[in-house]
Amino acid sequence: MSPEHASSRLIHDYTRGETGIAADELWALESHLETCGYCRDRLAKAVAVEAPGIVTLLGSVRSDLESRLDNAEPMPFRRRRWARLPTWVTPVMGPWLVMIVSLPLVALLLDVAAPGFGRVPLVLLLAPVLPLAGVATAWSRGLDPAHELVVSTPRAGLNLLLRRTTAVLALLVPTLLLSGWLTGVTVAQWLLPSLAFTTTALALGSVMDISLAAAALGSVWAVLILAPALVTNRAPLVLQPERLPVWGVLFALGAGVVLVRKDAYSLLKDPHRS
């Protein structure tokens, strides 16, 4: 597709419902059609010539709807609380976001109220994996009533996933910054591990359900790092300052995999289907 308009071949294949169109081409075409009246006119003409049955079907549906709408009573106007939210934010996520943001605050209260609880701040132990809860929430089937509709559209690829993840992190990161500052934890100690876990979850999400990937990574951290640190009352080696370059490499690798496999996010599978 050219920067100005869609090619005739792509319009032709789209009209005929060809299944061989690449996911990124399909996404680009449908995004372009939303803003380009010229290409929409070309598509309408192509449909009239190559798929007259669709035109007939649309005409009959329109006729039926018009007769029903003429006899329907108008619904009373109600201002919805979430009406102006962007389409990539789901209102059902609200309670879960509150819970996720509350966790570092609870950890902060424990660290401040009971300084002898442990030599390792609880905020530091939780911060690396808290974004995983945000990643799982951002793309959870159970928290989005329109999940099946969203993931079936070409525009529901990496762009939407990154937007939802960013929305969650925008709420969580400031809370972690405040909690870390009050407990003496440097930003680098938790930020690089957090970014590494987030990109790793997104990378695994190109081959499996993202919520499951986030849950698996969180479980590994809880068993291998969090639990031993609480039992031994010692800072994990993986969170020592000299290990930060390793976290930086993991973050870069995860981001690289996400970029290389960006097309896979347009074909996300529903884990509840065979």
Side-chain angles (χ1 to χ4, degrees):
M1 190 171 73
S2 68
E4 296 82 13
H5 299 292
S7 65
S8 298
R9 176 196 61 81
L10 193 54
I11 291 287
H12 172 82
D13 292 344
Y14 187 76
T15 302
R16 295 177 62 86
E18 298 291 343
T19 58
I21 304 177
D24 56 342
E25 280 190 311
L26 190 59
W27 180 90
L29 175 61
E30 295 197 345
S31 300
H32 179 73
L33 288 172
E34 291 181 0
T35 58
C36 181
Y38 174 72
C39 285
R40 288 199 299 270
D41 290 339
R42 293 170 58 203
L43 178 63
K45 294 177 181 178
V47 170
V49 174
E50 300 186 27
I54 295 179
V55 178
T56 303
L57 176 61
L58 290 176
S60 62
V61 171
R62 183 182 298 110
S63 176
D64 183 56
L65 284 177
E66 286 178 350
S67 62
R68 295 190 181 189
L69 291 175
D70 289 340
N71 298 325
E73 295 182 3
M75 294 292 293
F77 174 77
R78 293 180 181 179
R79 183 177 296 275
R80 294 187 178 183
R81 182 180 178 183
W82 301 95
R84 295 188 178 181
L85 283 177
T87 56
W88 42 273
V89 175
T90 58
V92 191
M93 291 167 52
W96 290 91
L97 292 179
V98 172
M99 183 188 70
I100 294 171
V101 173
S102 299
L103 286 176
L105 297 178
V106 172
L108 172 62
L109 290 176
L110 289 175
D111 288 332
V112 173
F117 179 75
R119 289 180 293 178
V120 186
L122 191 58
V123 171
L124 176 61
L125 295 177
L126 293 178
V129 292
L130 279 180
L132 292 178
V135 171
T137 302
W139 205 252
S140 171
R141 182 177 184 269
L143 298 181
D144 186 0
H147 179 82
E148 292 186 1
L149 177 62
V150 170
V151 299
S152 65
T153 60
R155 298 196 65 184
L158 181 61
N159 182 46
L160 179 60
L161 178 59
L162 290 180
R163 286 180 177 226
R164 287 189 174 185
T165 303
T166 302
V168 174
L169 294 180
L171 296 174
L172 180 59
V173 169
T175 308
L176 289 173
L177 285 172
L178 175 63
S179 301
W181 176 68
L182 292 176
T183 54
V185 177
T186 61
V187 175
Q189 279 183 283
W190 62 264
L191 183 58
L192 274 177
S194 296
L195 294 176
F197 270 112
T198 301
T199 56
T200 301
L202 294 179
L204 291 175
S206 65
V207 296
M208 62 184 295
D209 178 59
I210 293 177
S211 297
L212 293 179
L217 291 174
S219 299
V220 170
W221 177 267
V223 172
L224 299 183
I225 305 299
L226 178 60
L230 293 177
V231 171
T232 62
N233 198 19
R234 294 181 180 178
L237 293 177
V238 295
L239 292 180
Q240 297 296 333
E242 57 269 19
R243 297 294 192 276
L244 291 180
V246 177
W247 288 111
V249 171
L250 291 176
F251 166 62
L253 288 176
V257 172
V258 170
L259 291 176
V260 170
R261 292 189 50 81
K262 62 181 184 299
D263 293 340
Y265 298 91
S266 297
L267 303 171
L268 292 176
K269 305 296 184 182
D270 187 342
H272 297 270
R273 292 183 178 180
S274 56

